[in-house]
Amino acid sequence: MAADPTVPTAGGPPEEGVSLHLLGGFRLLRDSAPIVVPRGLQRVIALIGLRPGATRSQLAGLLWPDASEERALSSLRTALWRLRQDPCCPMTVTGDTVRLDPTVRLDVDDLVGTAARVRDGDDPSTAAGALAAGRHDLLPGWYDDWVLLDRERLRQLRLHMLEQVAGQHLAAGRHGEALDAALEAMAAEPLRETPHRLVVRIHLAEGNAFEAVHAFYVYRDLLRRELRLEPSPAMSALLDDTLAPIRQASREAVAGRPSPAGRRT
């Protein structure tokens, strides 16, 4: 029986095992089996997942920004009515508020939760899972303003999480694990200096001066080639002690070399 879209209840709780995946692309699963959702309704479900507790007016304004408020709300009512015809409807509607059903697992929430546990440092096993968490961008190929904002927010969240994991491992002397996390962050954003700086610090902590110098110059060349910039003074300072003898030897070699005017012809 069709549900009345004005009634503030959902069509029934989703079955156990319903999960919504927005990282790497939209997927709604029930017991690992995909549920086919039209593209227009995918946008509605995705926004409800990313804006828990949003009002109808807020959702309608984000989904149909170019429509009048009345028309946008009408489109939202139709979309919610269509969604609630499915027995595994992934949402609940209470009054003017729409949210995912509490039993639906959202991969974005998993990423945010992992980052929070890493930040608090209260779960040592979290660090291993942090490398894979959020490895894919939010809804690639979607260009709605609300998607672009959340995509960048989650990207920055993951980068800071990986850098924090690398720093924690480095402080504990776990150099291999620290390098894995730093390289994961570097792969996510090759031009970002922080993971490159961490890689240099890790090699220096291991006593691998060659690796540290090599990592520095690889980043310097990349930065010059792509942005015509130089590494920051903070990164250059990491290698001051390592490169000081080389620089001194170079200066002495130049000073001891006879000037062209003094050479015999």
Side-chain angles (χ1 to χ4, degrees):
M1 183 176 64
D4 183 350
T6 63
V7 178
T9 58
E15 296 181 23
E16 291 294 326
V18 175
S19 59
L20 176 60
H21 301 261
L22 304 180
L23 301 174
F26 182 98
R27 288 180 301 144
L28 183 63
L29 306 178
R30 179 177 58 189
D31 298 330
S32 300
I35 301 170
V36 178
V37 182
R39 179 60 183 267
L41 296 183
Q42 289 180 17
R43 294 175 67 248
V44 177
I45 295 172
L47 182 58
I48 291 172
L50 293 170
R51 297 288 191 279
T55 65
R56 290 173 182 253
S57 294
Q58 291 168 339
L59 293 172
L62 290 169
L63 289 167
W64 295 279
D66 298 327
S68 66
E69 182 177 6
E70 181 179 357
R71 184 172 179 180
L73 285 170
S74 175
S75 297
L76 179 63
R77 282 194 297 270
T78 300
L80 294 178
W81 180 84
R82 291 175 62 192
L83 283 171
R84 288 159 60 193
Q85 305 315 299
D86 195 297
C88 61
C89 174
M91 64 179 190
T92 61
V93 182
T94 305
D96 195 40
T97 301
V98 186
R99 66 175 67 244
L100 287 182
D101 189 278
T103 62
V104 176
R105 180 174 177 177
L106 178 64
D107 60 352
V108 171
D109 289 343
D110 293 342
L111 170 59
V112 173
T114 300
R117 289 190 295 274
V118 167
R119 183 184 63 245
D120 296 340
D122 58 356
D123 186 358
S125 64
T126 302
L131 270 66
R135 184 168 281 167
H136 302 290
D137 282 340
L138 176 73
L139 296 170
W142 292 31
Y143 299 103
D144 305 76
D145 288 343
W146 52 271
V147 174
L148 297 177
L149 289 172
D150 274 11
R151 183 181 298 156
E152 181 60 18
R153 174 179 66 86
L154 294 173
R155 190 181 76 90
Q156 291 293 333
L157 178 71
R158 180 169 186 262
L159 286 170
H160 283 90
M161 174 183 68
L162 291 169
E163 291 164 0
Q164 186 163 3
V165 168
Q168 291 171 351
H169 283 315
L170 176 59
R174 297 187 292 268
H175 299 133
E177 292 91 336
L179 191 59
D180 284 344
L183 291 175
E184 184 74 27
M186 188 187 301
E189 182 45 80
L191 292 172
R192 184 180 173 93
E193 181 174 300
T194 315
H196 289 271
R197 197 185 305 167
L198 279 163
V199 169
V200 171
R201 290 176 55 202
I202 293 164
H203 288 315
L204 290 174
E206 290 185 297
N208 294 324
F210 168 78
E211 294 283 4
V213 173
H214 176 70
F216 173 83
Y217 282 112
V218 165
Y219 177 62
R220 188 200 65 174
D221 292 345
L222 174 66
L223 206 58
R224 285 178 172 178
R225 183 172 64 252
E226 297 295 331
L227 300 177
R228 298 183 182 275
L229 295 175
E230 292 287 334
S232 71
M235 184 166 186
S236 299
L238 292 175
L239 291 171
D240 280 349
D241 292 341
T242 303
L243 295 178
I246 301 174
R247 292 167 177 162
Q248 180 63 30
S250 298
R251 284 194 293 267
E252 291 174 353
V254 171
R257 190 180 304 156
S259 64
R263 292 178 183 170
R264 294 182 180 177
T265 58

